[in-house]
Amino acid sequence: MKLYLLGFLLVLPLGAPAQDKKKGKPLMDYGPFLSCAVLTKPAAKFDNGTGNFDGDVTARGIMVKLADDWSDGIVFDSDNLRLSAGWLGSPIKFIGVIFDGAHGPSPTLTAPAVFQTPHGPGWSKDGSFKDPRADSIAPLPPPGPLPADWGKYRGLYLRGRQVVFSYTVGACPVLESPSLESKDGLKALVRSLTVGASTVPLEMRIATASPDLQVGGVDLQGGVKIVQVEGEWRLQVPARVAPASVKVLLSNGAMEPFSDLVRTSPKGGPARWPEAVVTQGVLSKETAAYVVDKLTLPEKNPWNANLRVGGMDFFADGTRAAVCTWDGDVWIVSGIDETLEKLTWKRFATGLYQPLGLRIVDDTIYTVGHDQITRLRDLDGDGEADFYECFNNDWELTTAFHTFCFDLQTDPLGNFYFGFNSPVRSGGGGFNKITAHHGCILKVSKDGSRLDVYATGFRANNGIGVGPNGEVVSGDNEGTWVPKCPLHWVKPGSFNGVVDSAHRPLNSAKGKPDPSEQPKPICWMPKDVDNSSGGQVWVTSGKWGPFKGDLLHTSYGTSSLFKVLMEDVEGQKQGGVVKFPVRFTSSAMRPRFNPKDGQLYVAGLRGWQSNAAREGGFDRVRYTGAPVTMPTGLHVTKAGVSITFTGTLDRETAESVDRYSVSVWNYHWTSNYGSGDYSTRESADAPKKKGDAHDPVGVKSAKLSADGRTVTLELDDVKPVMQMKIAFKLSAADKSPVNYDIHNTIHVVP
């Protein structure tokens, strides 16, 4: 049985003016759709901090492009399973962090929408549209998706340029495809639906009624009808035993039918980006132990696509990798070998919502963006994703621009992990309204069916690491409640310092958080070492030099790679970092080891708060086999510290106390943005004393072990301290320089 339904709401002439190419139109071809927050009805009052809001904004929006210049299109709301708005002949104003760098705004309709639906469920349950979600940030729209038993977004198919949304209403599967149709010089927006069998009647919101609204139906069958209820036009479909095909046209003009039913076949279609782009990598000519080779990105491409790399991973063969970009793409690069002479890049997916993490599992690509973990499937083997499957989207999302989902990792059991940021205000200080999942590391089950909060109390942790035994580590970004960048050893259920995103009651002392709640990361890092952290990775093999099994840390802000020096003292992880002498193409955020060559690959991008030289980069940190004499271990004693090296030191320089410089200082853990450097002799409430923030620590003696690899420094005073700096200029046994700075934290003196 087929049901043909026509609802006409607005028609514009085909010759309506195109969007101004100098205002708002993105230079990049984002593909047939673009996932992002969309302001579909500008608000006279709109403040995400206070809750003043009288417009309509779609947090998990998917804009479908129905004209090449985005002058015609619709917005699908994957939280509410509704078409929130549609427009004809008016441009979209592309504003926001990835478009023009603006902190806060979202892409916006520049003229009243052709149609809109109320913010809330797009389909009823048991005859009611009453929203079941807790309105935790009233009067803003409730955050997060509908309960799964009400409706569930499953993903979208691409058939050429056609977008087909897949979701369920209760137990009933629905396929819905928007399109643009024309006849006699008129245009109309179209909703083509295939509604599965259902044991209960279904009701869908078509649009909010208005005086100009005309709705008509043709060839309605089996009791399907259009009704006007409570100021809305709705589609009512009775219970049935067979699927039904339904077509809805939105226009305000003639009542005659337009063209044939648009098919909603969930199969692959013709390739959208058949061209491959070939680049040549650049091998380092340096002779140091660790050198950086450049995997040249396809910056010149037919789609003017930006290559700001936000995540990467390798396929099992190690000769191919996938990268995701901040601007919504996924590319597959092949030809990764020793020479990097021919790198072939293929555009695999587009339109994702700022994906900043990517993981490949069983050679299937998963990305995480603001809106969801997406599993990308190539249904017809043409090298492009045809099904953008919603693997999980259960977290509560708002339109706050800074709530990035950073990094994507898996543990040995196959569970997924990522960081979901707190909604940092534009300018960096404080937060917008916080939902139940902001500022957390979130864990998703292997099958995508369950989302849990793994740990809380983060601000903007751009990068996490999951170890070979399921260990979880994370950095964070200096700001409110984060005095300087930390590196956390993250325990399940732990609170990691940001009071606003604790999501549980905290102790208090004199109206302030109790010092017992103060976070104790592995270490803190001064701003010149790491002002904005990236991700972490464990060294997987001996192919990368003498660090197998060790932890590495990256910095987005200073574009740096660090070896982590860590020990466990009475159950407390503590230690520090030492920088590798390497230089990257862009920032350092996403480190991965290649399963074939065993070398470290690092991807990054340039947004703000980074010294990155280029917009994006993809580099290989290659071990050349040259001798390595670098700190690899740090041990605290009551008398001082011991530093172990990977190579043998020259005894004369190692035992000269004037070759070392040690200083210490503390930070203040407050709601202020960051912290100054405070003398360890000051109380937590004392003002900073200029010129006396760093306390020098005398080095009484320096002793080198018999094997020439461990130096023990006897210090004047050893006590718990938030920041210690150990600087030294030594020589290796072969007289090569060994000049490093260690920045570490002492929580416990054994």
Side-chain angles (χ1 to χ4, degrees):
M1 176 177 65
K2 292 188 176 180
L3 305 177
Y4 297 91
L5 177 65
L6 307 179
F8 299 86
L9 306 184
L10 178 69
V11 172
L12 290 179
L14 288 176
Q19 183 172 328
D20 184 349
K21 294 183 179 181
K22 295 182 180 180
K23 296 181 180 180
K25 179 183 176 182
L27 296 175
M28 176 175 166
D29 177 1
Y30 290 101
F33 71 93
L34 178 60
S35 303
C36 57
V38 186
L39 186 61
T40 56
K41 180 183 177 183
K45 295 180 179 179
F46 178 58
D47 186 333
N48 231 0
T50 64
N52 292 327
F53 181 81
D54 64 354
D56 190 12
V57 62
T58 305
R60 276 192 172 92
I62 304 173
M63 292 195 300
V64 178
K65 180 171 64 174
L66 301 179
D68 287 341
D69 61 358
W70 288 96
S71 60
D72 307 323
I74 61 92
V75 179
F76 180 80
D77 181 347
S78 63
D79 271 341
N80 293 293
L81 308 180
R82 65 170 182 144
L83 288 196
S84 54
W87 67 95
L88 288 170
S90 58
I92 292 292
K93 186 177 183 180
F94 283 93
I95 54 176
V97 65
I98 69 165
F99 305 107
D100 61 2
H103 288 194
S106 301
T108 304
L109 274 65
T110 57
V114 170
F115 76 91
Q116 289 187 294
T117 54
H119 199 110
W123 294 75
S124 68
K125 180 182 180 184
D126 300 328
S128 173
F129 285 92
K130 184 177 180 181
D131 201 314
R133 293 161 294 187
D135 197 354
S136 59
I137 54 172
L140 293 177
L146 291 167
D149 63 348
W150 186 305
K152 186 70 176 176
Y153 176 63
R154 298 299 181 189
L156 65 83
Y157 296 91
L158 287 183
R159 185 175 177 84
R161 309 294 292 186
Q162 180 190 8
V163 176
V164 182
F165 296 107
S166 174
Y167 56 90
T168 56
V169 178
C172 176
V174 178
L175 294 173
E176 177 170 358
S177 180
S179 62
L180 182 71
E181 297 195 12
S182 62
K183 187 174 182 180
D184 299 332
L186 303 177
K187 294 192 297 186
L189 297 169
V190 180
R191 298 181 67 172
S192 297
L193 300 100
T194 299
V195 183
S198 176
T199 59
V200 297
L202 302 176
E203 187 172 18
M204 182 190 78
R205 283 170 158 160
I206 296 174
T208 301
S210 70
D212 297 329
L213 188 61
Q214 300 181 55
V215 177
V218 177
D219 295 331
L220 302 183
Q221 301 178 26
V224 175
K225 57 184 177 180
I226 295 175
V227 298
Q228 187 171 354
V229 181
E230 298 175 348
E232 300 172 12
W233 288 104
R234 296 179 184 171
L235 169 68
Q236 294 180 343
V237 183
R240 65 212 169 282
V241 297
S245 294
V246 177
K247 185 176 182 181
V248 179
L249 279 76
L250 296 91
S251 166
N252 73 345
M255 300 297 290
E256 71 272 13
F258 275 72
S259 59
D260 292 337
L261 180 71
V262 177
R263 297 184 180 274
T264 56
S265 173
K267 298 180 180 179
R272 291 161 290 277
W273 315 289
E275 302 95 330
V277 181
V278 177
T279 67
Q280 183 176 7
V282 180
L283 298 184
S284 174
K285 297 181 180 179
E286 297 180 4
T287 59
Y290 292 96
V291 299
V292 175
D293 302 325
K294 176 183 176 182
L295 283 76
T296 307
L297 296 172
E299 294 174 339
K300 293 183 179 180
N301 58 77
W303 311 281
N304 210 16
N306 299 321
L307 272 296
R308 297 183 286 185
V309 183
M312 57 82 58
D313 200 5
F314 292 96
F315 292 94
D317 59 20
T319 65
R320 297 177 301 135
V323 303
C324 61
T325 72
W326 194 17
D327 300 87
D329 279 4
V330 172
W331 292 70
I332 294 177
V333 54
S334 58
I336 300 174
D337 58 16
E338 291 182 0
T339 68
L340 304 181
E341 287 184 355
K342 184 180 180 181
L343 300 173
T344 302
W345 297 83
K346 182 72 170 65
R347 203 181 193 197
F348 182 73
T350 60
L352 299 168
Y353 194 168
Q354 298 183 39
L356 291 170
L358 184 148
R359 189 79 169 103
I360 297 177
V361 179
D362 297 331
D363 276 359
T364 298
I365 299 172
Y366 296 73
T367 66
V368 65
H370 279 246
D371 55 345
Q372 63 184 37
I373 296 178
T374 303
R375 179 160 54 188
L376 296 166
R377 297 189 180 275
D378 180 359
L379 301 178
D380 55 9
D382 66 353
E384 296 182 6
D386 304 297
F387 185 36
Y388 294 63
E389 181 182 1
C390 178
F391 186 71
N392 187 280
N393 68 344
D394 290 340
W395 57 95
E396 294 185 354
L397 181 69
T398 67
T399 58
F401 86 99
H402 207 291
T403 53
F404 303 108
C405 290
F406 279 133
D407 217 337
L408 190 60
Q409 305 286 350
T410 55
D411 66 18
L413 298 178
N415 301 300
F416 292 81
Y417 299 78
F418 62 94
F420 181 40
N421 287 182
S422 294
V424 176
R425 290 181 182 274
S426 178
F431 305 101
N432 292 310
K433 294 292 184 178
I434 290 179
T435 72
H437 297 117
H438 282 137
C440 297
I441 290 179
L442 298 178
K443 176 181 177 181
V444 175
S445 61
K446 182 179 181 179
D447 63 359
S449 64
R450 180 184 175 93
L451 179 139
D452 293 297
V453 172
Y454 183 82
T456 69
F458 295 95
R459 180 180 180 270
N461 51 337
N462 176 12
I464 63 174
V466 177
N469 300 307
E471 311 94 326
V472 178
V473 293
S474 176
D476 209 343
N477 180 227
E478 177 189 0
T480 305
W481 292 111
V482 186
K484 287 290 185 289
C485 284
L487 174 58
H488 292 288
W489 185 272
V490 185
K491 297 179 180 179
S494 62
F495 163 67
N496 293 271
V498 177
V499 173
D500 298 73
S501 60
H503 299 297
R504 61 184 174 89
L506 296 175
N507 298 328
S508 63
K510 298 180 180 179
K512 301 179 180 179
D514 193 303
S516 66
E517 299 280 4
Q518 180 168 315
K520 293 183 177 181
I522 298 168
C523 65
W524 299 97
M525 291 168 280
K527 187 171 291 187
D528 60 343
V529 174
D530 183 8
N531 68 315
S532 185
S533 296
Q536 299 79 37
V537 68
W538 273 260
V539 183
T540 57
S541 74
K543 295 181 179 180
W544 201 70
F547 297 110
K548 182 179 179 181
D550 288 351
L551 179 63
L552 306 178
H553 171 74
T554 60
S555 171
Y556 160 81
T558 63
S559 307
S560 303
L561 173 68
F562 299 94
K563 164 72 173 67
V564 179
L565 313 174
M566 184 171 57
E567 64 175 342
D568 190 305
V569 182
E570 300 175 9
Q572 173 66 53
K573 301 289 185 183
Q574 63 183 30
V577 295
V578 60
K579 182 180 177 180
F580 282 86
V582 295
R583 191 176 189 86
F584 294 104
T585 301
S586 186
S587 68
M589 321 194 308
R590 302 290 179 262
R592 298 272 195 205
F593 277 94
N594 187 315
K596 182 179 181 181
D597 65 22
Q599 301 306 298
L600 177 66
Y601 290 70
V602 177
L605 60 84
R606 182 175 66 196
W608 63 93
Q609 199 173 325
S610 174
N611 68 355
R614 296 182 65 87
E615 291 291 309
F618 188 19
D619 297 321
R620 176 172 66 192
V621 184
R622 174 167 50 90
Y623 174 56
T624 66
V628 182
T629 306
M630 185 173 172
T632 189
L634 180 68
H635 176 59
V636 176
T637 69
K638 293 181 180 179
V641 295
S642 296
I643 307 168
T644 300
F645 293 78
T646 58
T648 305
L649 296 176
D650 168 69
R651 188 168 295 276
E652 180 181 355
T653 58
E655 293 189 337
S656 299
V657 295
D658 58 356
R659 296 276 184 156
Y660 301 89
S661 174
V662 181
S663 58
V664 293
W665 62 95
N666 283 326
Y667 304 119
H668 288 183
W669 177 58
T670 71
S671 60
N672 295 333
Y673 189 105
S675 170
D677 300 349
Y678 292 85
S679 168
T680 60
R681 294 186 293 270
E682 297 178 23
S683 69
D685 296 324
K688 177 181 177 181
K689 296 179 180 178
K690 294 182 179 180
D692 193 30
H694 294 192
D695 303 324
V697 177
V699 181
K700 295 181 179 180
S701 66
K703 300 295 183 183
L704 185 63
S705 61
D707 65 2
R709 290 177 177 247
T710 299
V711 173
T712 299
L713 301 181
E714 183 184 6
L715 303 178
D716 273 341
D717 187 21
V718 181
K719 60 186 178 182
V721 64
M722 295 177 76
Q723 196 70 74
M724 172 179 277
K725 178 181 178 180
I726 307 170
F728 48 85
K729 295 183 177 181
L730 312 177
S731 297
D734 62 2
K735 303 304 180 181
S736 60
V738 182
N739 303 332
Y740 291 97
D741 295 340
I742 296 173
H743 291 86
N744 64 294
T745 296
I746 300 175
H747 297 298
V748 180
V749 178

